[in-house]
Amino acid sequence: MTTAAAPTTEQFEKIPTKIHPTAAAAAAALAREVADLIRERNAAGRATVLGLATGSTPVPFYRELIRLHREEGLSFANVITFNLDEYHGLARDHRESYFRFMREQLFDHVDLKPGSIHLPDGTVALDKVFAHCQAYEAAIDAAGGIDLQILGIGRTGHIGFNEPGSTRDSRTRLIALDRITREDAAADFLGEANVPRFAITMGVGTILRARRIALMAWGENKAEIVRQAVEGPETEAVSASFLQSHPDARFLVDAAAAKALTRVKLPWLVTHVDWDEAGTRRAVTWLALKHHKPVLKLLDEEYNENGMAELLTRQGRAYDLNIRIFNQLQHTITGWPGGKPDADDTTRPERATPHPKRSLVLAPEPQDDVLSMGATLQRLVEHGHHVEVVYLTSGDLRVADAEASKFAKVLLETSETIATGAAGDAAGAAGDWSRQVAYARDMLAQLEAKGPFGDPPAALRRLKGLIRRGEARDAAQALGLSPEHVRFLDLPFYAKGRYRQFRLEDADIAAVRATLEEIQPHQIFITGHLADPNSVQGVAWRAFAAAWDQCGQAPWKNDCRVWLHRGHQRELEPHEIHMAVPLSPDQLARKLAAIRKFQSPTNPDQLTGERNRQTARTYDALGLAEYEAIEAFERWGA
Ligand code: F6R
């Protein structure tokens, strides 16, 4: 759907919002602006006061600032910084403290003076927090106030850690973290239970006093909250919405985070639209869901009343349009995700030939595949396709310490038992098991030394990786796939990195490319295209997209379809679905059983399966057949 640019397109937006093609482009533009500001103020003989944020979002921005420092001589010698927040209870050298994050991401790489850096202190005793917060505010005032405040946005709509309920004039204070915020931090802390419950944060009022504010947001997970902040009412329920009344605040978003804005999602409400097939489908499904009606019951007047009169005049009567879109939706449904052999495939999502196909499942982390497409995987295997599941990373960062400890203890006890001959004949003769004993003891000692929050040494990560691999093989086997069709690429970006700090390398792309060229698949299943580009899924997608490009004009590519799913947090909207694989209650149960092979779950248990049920309910609401659950896919480039 192409839309004619018109000033009215942004009429619902109460904060100036720029949609950048990529997060990298947006971050580079903002870094350039910071550089200009610093140089301008330096020329006037004045310091620059920056308000800084942590989290995944500003990572590409800080990398660009470092580049400007190294390659273009940008100096931070005359810059003063104030960070938004810090977890309460974490010392400055704690692996997850925001102080440490800032050192690793920026401070250690530029010429900021140590005395110019300010973060709330997470170790302040509770009875001293109030005074500490007041002193923080006073320090900001003494520096002359913040010239430019950098922000991210949490899924609760928080800026800083101003969770729902924070008032417009709130000041720096201790706050309890929202459940969703703690859930989002769970991977960093190896489980939600380890995430601190409290943080010290600048208040909304503190933030609003900054002279200029720039909020960045990337990835589809932020799309709905960005819409609420930009288009919704100013409300304590979404603290970012208070930026609406700031005279110089703006949002920089990538295309995925802009997805829910009216000008992107419902452009016909704000501008003239050249209706194409995809846009028409989006409009019709939206109208049906809005009116709680099946597609086939939509009326002419409902189209007219919702800005779609032009669509009707071009397409004929509602009756004809409804049938056409209904048929398209109907044709997305298939129990044959690898194509149905010997069947007419003109209206099927996948081709009948070749059969069997080489089906490649590229999963960023173990469990991504099972969560989003476990039942589809099972069908592909059942239908005789050559399915290869390739895990791009070992997933060791998701394995809780308790799992590694359990494994090491079992190994220790087993080795000691065998070494003394007490295991009996089945274990063979007593022998030299000292190496196994030493290894198990070493792992337990490393766990002990690391404590709940320390950096895991490489050997411990390897052990956790082995555990995750075992679980991944078990899960694949539970879906009918034999272990020799499960591989691990162990991409370097993950093996060397940690959450929020991954860096894509040529070696990652080369490894994915080698896999593509070896398998020459007829279909590929993958996720991450709309994820935060710094998440595991986002980096994995970038590795795939670059590898795909590098394969150039390889003939197998002409015969290969790429099917996208949405990872574990979201589901596709109905107009985005090109293939809907229905699940019977039994198939869903089998999928859930496979998910349970993983001891450290990626998702809260209650969400598992719910997304697939919701997609089925949406299809039902549109007037299609009523299924227990549906796994949905979008075709790349369609
Ligand atoms: C960080 C902060 C938070 C984050 C927000 C988004 O200092 O104050 O508001 O900006 O939680 O986090 P990410 O960027 O990790 O999605």
Side-chain angles (χ1 to χ4, degrees), residues 53-58 84-85 98 152-154 158-161 222 500:
T54 55
S56 303
T57 309
L84 284 164
D85 41 19
Y98 282 169
I153 182 169
H158 70 212
I159 45 178
F161 272 139
K222 298 285 173 71
R500 303 180 200 279

Side-chain angles (χ1 to χ4, degrees), residues 358-380:
R358 289 187 296 275
S359 306
L360 172 61
V361 176
L362 287 174
E365 288 178 290
Q367 215 182 17
D368 283 341
D369 53 333
V370 190
L371 284 169
S372 292
M373 53 171 298
T376 302
L377 193 69
Q378 186 190 325
R379 290 276 176 93
L380 290 169

